Amino acid sequence: MLKIRKRDEPWKWGALVVFLGALLFSLLVSSLLLAWQGKDALFGLNVLWQGSFGNLWALEGVLLKSIPLFLCSLGVAVAFRMQIWNIGAEGQFALGAIGATWMALQFPDLPGFILLPIMFTMAFLLGGAWAFIPAFLKLKLRVNEIISTLMLNYVAILLLDYLVFGIWKDPASHGFPMTPEFTSGAVIPFIGSSRVHWGLLFCLVVGVGLWGFMRFTRLGFELQASGEGARVARYAKIRYGRLVILVMCMSGGFAGWAGCVETSAILNRLQPSLMVGYGYTAIVVAWLARLEPLNIAFAAFLLAALRVGVENMQLELQIPAAFGVIMEGMILLTVLAGQFFLTYKLERKTRQD
Amino acid sequence: MWEFLIPLFAATVQSGTPILYATLGEMMTEKGGVLNLGVEGIMSVAALAAFWVSYTTGSPWLGFLAGGTAGMVFASLHGFVCITCLGNQVVSGLALTILGGGLTHYLGVSYVGLSAPGFNPFIFPLLSQIPVLGEVFFKHDMLVYISFVIPFLFWFFFKRTSLGLHVAATGEMPAAAAAAGLKPLLLRYFAVLSGGFLMGLGGAYLSLAYTHLWTSGLSGGRGWIAVALVIFAFWRPGRAVVGAYLFGGVMAFQLRLQAIGTNLPSSLLLMLPYLLTILVLILSAWRGRRIDAPAALGTNIEPEG
């Protein structure tokens, strides 16, 4: 018989082992899924690998996709750290895109070095404002933020639809729901001759900035201390409410930035195809990274690779894109189950017991 | 006026039914102390399973049962992660929703546009003769009539049976329940599985009665509405009925407005149920009855030693 025992000391490489184990397990189950559908599973895994890491073109694609994931996930993690469950990155991302588009349409003649900062500011403000609603409702009325942030995702996507089907629709788009293409000042340029744009550097700045903020400012310290929850914060005489508002607005602002980057650099206009679920994948990324900024960069890269790899599989094996979503869900679920072994271990029951 | 209202109320009951099943499922789970945010994923998977079984066997009843079973099997993953492995209940539920959405899109893609035998209206003898009420409540499919009975069973289960009392005890104080010689882990599994079964029935309703053909994204946020409604209902089945029909009403109203043609853009109308969910949460918070929540909701039972 096996017996559960609490670990006396933490398992040093445990988190990594659990993470890799979850990854392997999910790969195994998804190849079984492929085999069940009559596809060549080994070939599928190879296509997945080649698609994400096989060549420079693929790697550039992965970097491109990790940018929005990183930003959204950073926001999610900041909130999760304070045990505020912001599930609304998807909606905040949409609002950021709307804010950026609004400015791009408003001032088409401005040069990039003025227009882009304006777009980023508006994206942050609208994304933050969208997250402010649930934060306010949570504080004042104790409305559960999980559900309110989630509902606001649906509302935000419908708002985006309303705009691109209505007042922002390009008259020259032959009825397609999209805004006119951005002027060159509203587009984030590429780095050198690569396919990757300067949003990558922006991620670096935001990441380092957040790290510095958490590490060296009083507010950042309070934020870390409140990670244990509202009661601990109150004992430490921290104004919890103010922090909740701050954290949520920051969280929404980061997701808003991601929306701005994607609209400006990738699509060059606002259209419904912008919404591909980065906000939800960000939750997976944040949790896999155990809410640590550096790990988030790594996990964002990995899940971006998964998305790009699955796109390759879509072409080569004719499978739906949802295959990637299945893997994301499975990885998250197995990591959750595996984390059991970080605090407990199984021991063989001895005679004395 | 009545020509508009009576069909509207009838449609309210119909679109409230899947929400009612799901809300009771979530309530069941939460009564046992486990928060399951995977309702949306469970409903989608169940809707597909129900459709697939009805499509291949030709029996909507088998499909209905398959939906419930699929819901239960899928919920067991949540049970395993949270009850056995002590995983975070919030994140596990989200993972379930992500996984369920993915599976449904992936496996359902070849059925899109196909139709399966579903449930057709069954005019209830005698009761359907009652003016107005008969029209609104008794000209539906059998699954609607079943949903009338379940809240009573639910109430009876928790008020009058010892198993129900034991389940509620693990939702309130698992340690005390264990001390009293109960098996809290098993009871929680029971709550999660039976709750998942009910959620699955809600999902099955979507593909077998609400529509008879398969489209992706059938659940459309109903699972999340169900989670909100449990709070609104203060964990009481009677109020769950009120809440489910309230949402059914808004969904039906919004569809009807679109059908008769208004100047309002459809995307704004489609926002209504989601905005209403937030409003409903604000209203229930206002009444401040948080005391009714199971005390141990969302916390895992740590093993000793």
Side-chain angles (χ1 to χ4, degrees):
Chain A
M1 267 301 280
L2 291 171
K3 186 180 180 306
I4 298 167
R5 259 205 38 192
K6 207 157 192 156
R7 284 180 186 280
D8 304 323
E9 64 229 56
W11 179 15
K12 203 171 167 210
W13 293 101
L16 191 65
V17 172
V18 166
F19 177 67
L20 291 178
L23 211 61
L24 271 182
F25 178 81
S26 307
L27 277 175
L28 184 76
V29 176
S30 15
S31 11
L32 286 179
L33 197 64
L34 281 182
W36 181 46
Q37 300 255 297
K39 318 261 178 194
D40 184 345
L42 275 180
F43 174 68
L45 288 182
N46 189 39
V47 169
L48 182 74
W49 175 262
Q50 290 297 331
S52 34
F53 301 114
N55 50 47
L56 191 65
W57 171 266
L59 266 180
E60 282 176 341
V62 174
L63 274 179
L64 276 180
K65 283 203 167 31
S66 39
I67 293 169
L69 277 181
F70 176 78
L71 289 171
C72 286
S73 181
L74 217 53
V76 168
V78 166
F80 278 17
R81 265 181 170 239
M82 271 189 76
Q83 296 180 33
I84 302 167
W85 300 103
N86 176 19
I87 317 296
E90 186 79 355
Q92 293 142 17
F93 174 89
L95 259 288
I98 289 172
T101 306
W102 181 21
M103 292 298 104
L105 296 177
Q106 204 74 30
F107 308 109
D109 302 325
L110 286 179
F113 68 93
I114 303 177
L115 182 52
L116 282 173
I118 295 178
M119 284 164 67
F120 272 91
T121 311
M122 187 50 82
F124 190 91
L125 288 178
L126 284 197
W130 205 244
F132 173 78
I133 304 169
F136 178 82
L137 292 178
K138 177 184 169 70
L139 279 178
K140 292 289 159 196
L141 296 164
R142 304 184 65 191
V143 170
N144 184 314
E145 78 275 17
I146 301 175
I147 303 164
S148 58
T149 49
L150 226 136
M151 290 296 119
L152 286 172
N153 287 348
Y154 288 100
V155 177
I157 292 169
L158 288 165
L159 183 67
L160 194 153
D161 278 352
Y162 167 69
L163 290 171
V164 294
F165 275 98
I167 52 176
W168 281 358
K169 185 151 96 183
D170 181 5
S173 72
H174 304 290
F176 287 107
M178 47 171 69
T179 65
E181 196 163 0
F182 287 178
T183 50
S184 62
V187 175
I188 302 173
F190 295 111
I191 304 176
S193 59
S194 75
R195 210 150 62 94
V196 183
H197 55 77
W198 285 101
L200 190 65
L201 183 77
F202 181 72
C203 282
L204 192 72
V205 173
V206 172
V208 172
L210 183 70
W211 175 80
F213 169 78
M214 294 291 243
R215 178 101 202 238
F216 299 115
T217 67
R218 185 188 154 78
L219 216 54
F221 171 76
E222 290 187 347
L223 219 146
Q224 297 231 339
S226 314
E228 302 295 316
R231 244 187 32 218
V232 178
R234 248 171 246 130
Y235 282 129
K237 296 228 164 66
I238 288 170
R239 281 151 73 192
Y240 183 71
R242 198 183 54 159
L243 277 186
V244 171
I245 298 278
L246 174 86
V247 160
M248 278 296 274
C249 290
M250 230 161 80
S251 187
F254 286 172
W257 272 340
C260 174
V261 169
E262 284 301 281
T263 343
S264 162
I266 305 293
L267 293 177
N268 308 141
R269 55 161 40 116
L270 191 65
Q271 60 188 68
S273 66
L274 172 76
M275 306 307 295
V276 289
Y278 285 133
Y280 295 110
T281 304
I283 299 169
V284 184
V285 170
W287 200 259
L288 292 186
R290 303 168 67 77
L291 313 180
E292 294 287 345
L294 192 66
N295 293 352
I296 289 176
F298 178 65
F301 182 78
L302 214 70
L303 284 191
L306 181 66
R307 271 180 178 250
V308 175
V310 167
E311 273 173 17
N312 203 32
M313 288 176 88
Q314 254 177 287
L315 293 173
E316 301 255 342
L317 282 103
Q318 277 82 45
I319 54 161
F323 187 76
V325 185
I326 298 178
M327 286 197 64
E328 283 178 16
M330 229 155 29
I331 294 172
L332 186 54
L333 215 55
T334 22
V335 160
L336 274 173
Q339 280 170 349
F340 172 81
F341 296 101
L342 300 182
T343 21
Y344 299 94
K345 56 180 167 187
L346 297 177
E347 279 182 348
R348 218 177 277 277
K349 239 182 190 166
T350 48
R351 284 276 159 78
Q352 295 97 298
D353 286 328
Chain B
M1 195 61 194
W2 284 113
E3 302 89 82
F4 181 76
L5 280 184
I6 289 181
L8 176 67
F9 287 150
T12 293
V13 171
Q14 212 210 0
S15 48
T17 299
I19 302 177
L20 180 58
Y21 278 111
T23 306
L24 290 174
E26 178 66 19
M27 201 179 276
M28 182 82 191
T29 311
E30 291 194 11
K31 276 276 193 182
V34 180
L35 178 70
N36 185 352
L37 296 182
V39 196
E40 185 77 6
I42 290 174
M43 283 180 86
S44 319
V45 168
L48 179 62
F51 180 88
W52 181 71
V53 168
S54 172
Y55 180 79
T56 44
T57 65
S59 159
W61 283 108
L62 278 182
F64 188 55
L65 276 182
T69 313
M72 191 162 79
V73 170
F74 209 54
S76 72
L77 291 179
H78 185 64
F80 177 72
V81 169
C82 299
I83 303 172
T84 303
C85 299
L86 305 157
N88 184 300
Q89 293 183 7
V90 173
V91 185
S92 167
L94 291 171
L96 220 57
T97 291
I98 295 173
L99 180 62
L103 275 174
T104 315
H105 278 286
Y106 181 79
L107 296 174
V109 79
S110 46
Y111 300 102
V112 172
L114 294 180
S115 65
F119 289 91
N120 292 314
F122 169 81
I123 314 290
F124 215 96
L126 293 176
L127 288 175
S128 60
Q129 308 284 317
I130 309 170
V132 185
L133 285 183
E135 293 281 335
V136 172
F137 287 104
F138 295 104
K139 291 190 171 173
H140 292 288
D141 50 84
M142 290 307 282
L143 305 189
V144 172
Y145 305 137
I146 295 175
S147 79
F148 292 160
V149 186
I150 292 183
F152 291 102
L153 293 178
F154 191 97
W155 175 85
F156 183 83
F157 176 73
F158 279 105
K159 288 286 169 194
R160 294 280 183 274
T161 68
S162 60
L163 180 59
L165 291 172
H166 292 169
V167 168
T170 59
E172 293 293 341
M173 283 181 89
L182 303 177
K183 299 229 178 308
L185 296 183
L186 278 184
L187 289 165
R188 281 199 165 184
Y189 261 109
F190 175 82
V192 169
L193 293 185
S194 53
F197 188 80
L198 283 175
M199 295 169 198
L201 295 186
Y205 189 86
L206 290 175
S207 59
L208 294 181
Y210 201 67
T211 66
H212 289 204
L213 53 93
W214 181 253
T215 49
S216 266
L218 257 184
S219 53
R222 287 182 181 80
W224 293 106
I225 290 171
V227 177
L229 279 185
V230 175
I231 301 172
F232 170 78
F234 305 139
W235 292 265
R236 283 179 212 157
R239 286 183 57 107
V241 178
V242 177
Y245 288 158
L246 177 69
F247 273 92
V250 169
M251 286 181 168
F253 179 67
Q254 170 255 103
L255 277 178
R256 251 147 225 277
L257 268 189
Q258 282 190 53
I260 56 176
T262 61
N263 290 327
L264 282 169
S266 63
S267 33
L268 293 187
L269 285 175
L270 287 170
M271 281 179 195
L272 285 178
Y274 308 116
L275 291 175
L276 179 70
T277 310
I278 298 176
L279 191 71
V280 148
L281 283 178
I282 293 176
L283 287 180
S284 35
W286 211 340
R287 298 275 309 276
R289 299 280 291 270
R290 206 150 290 263
I291 335 119
D292 295 324
L297 179 62
T299 52
N300 288 327
I301 305 171
E302 307 261 338
E304 289 161 50

